[in-house]
Amino acid sequence: INPVDGHLGVKETGHAEYYFTSNAIDTNNPGSGTAAVIEGTRIAGSSSPNFTVDVATPDLEYIGTPDCIVKCGVNVSWINDGGGGSDEVKVLLQVYKNGVALDNLWARAHLDDGPNDYPRNASLSGFIDLQTNDKIDVRVTNDTNTQDLLIEGFNLNLLII
């Protein structure tokens, strides 16, 4: 039995999550090839005291000590919300730490040419080294044109390992 938390062999190390579903708020595209923070009304999921989950901001903040490694998971369901445009768009989903894109957590996709098409799904999973006050957020990029994207469903979760 762990004398710190009383668990048998495994102690709670920390976790955080926010998500949204049935989102209707477009993520405005600041320009082709420019990353944008995902827009939507975030819902705080489960979290431990070593993370701050503020749904008014786009990030999860590690406020614990010591430094740690987290497993990061991201899931999106998204469409090209081009207002009836005819362009299929090439998009990028990427995790950022303290405003810097992480090379190990990204995915590319092609989205169909209009909002009436079925949403596409993308997922990411990888590891991130965190220090106290590090912030993690997720951004999307339309690499084709300036059409907005609609992220209908979204989940960002971190688990200290």
Side-chain angles (χ1 to χ4, degrees):
I1 295 180
N2 184 322
V4 175
D5 61 16
H7 289 120
L8 259 184
V10 178
K11 68 176 195 125
E12 167 63 35
T13 56
H15 63 279
E17 172 186 57
Y18 71 67
Y19 63 93
F20 54 71
T21 60
S22 303
N23 182 45
I25 302 170
D26 277 348
T27 294
N28 293 318
N29 183 354
S32 180
T34 304
V37 172
I38 293 176
E39 297 295 332
T41 304
R42 292 167 184 79
I43 299 167
S46 175
S47 68
S48 58
N50 43 7
F51 285 96
T52 297
V53 180
D54 180 357
V55 296
T57 67
D59 51 57
L60 297 175
E61 181 177 6
Y62 176 64
I63 57 173
T65 56
D67 297 353
C68 65
I69 297 173
V70 295
K71 178 155 188 185
C72 175
V74 178
N75 298 293
V76 296
S77 178
W78 51 359
I79 61 172
N80 170 9
D81 200 17
S86 59
D87 294 330
E88 189 173 291
V89 296
K90 182 178 178 182
V91 293
L92 173 68
L93 174 69
Q94 192 158 25
V95 175
Y96 283 67
K97 179 172 102 174
N98 300 323
V100 177
L102 298 176
D103 291 336
N104 66 320
L105 283 161
W106 64 275
R108 287 210 177 274
H110 282 107
L111 301 181
D112 293 335
D113 59 357
N116 297 322
D117 295 315
Y118 291 107
R120 302 293 186 234
N121 299 308
S123 297
L124 302 173
S125 180
F127 300 105
I128 305 170
D129 293 320
L130 291 182
Q131 297 177 327
T132 304
N133 299 321
D134 278 347
K135 295 180 180 182
I136 302 298
D137 71 275
V138 180
R139 302 178 193 187
V140 294
T141 305
N142 176 341
D143 281 334
T144 304
N145 55 36
T146 57
Q147 291 177 184
D148 293 342
L149 302 174
L150 176 60
I151 291 76
E152 293 182 332
F154 172 74
N155 178 284
L156 167 62
N157 59 77
L158 303 175
L159 175 65
I160 295 175
I161 56 173

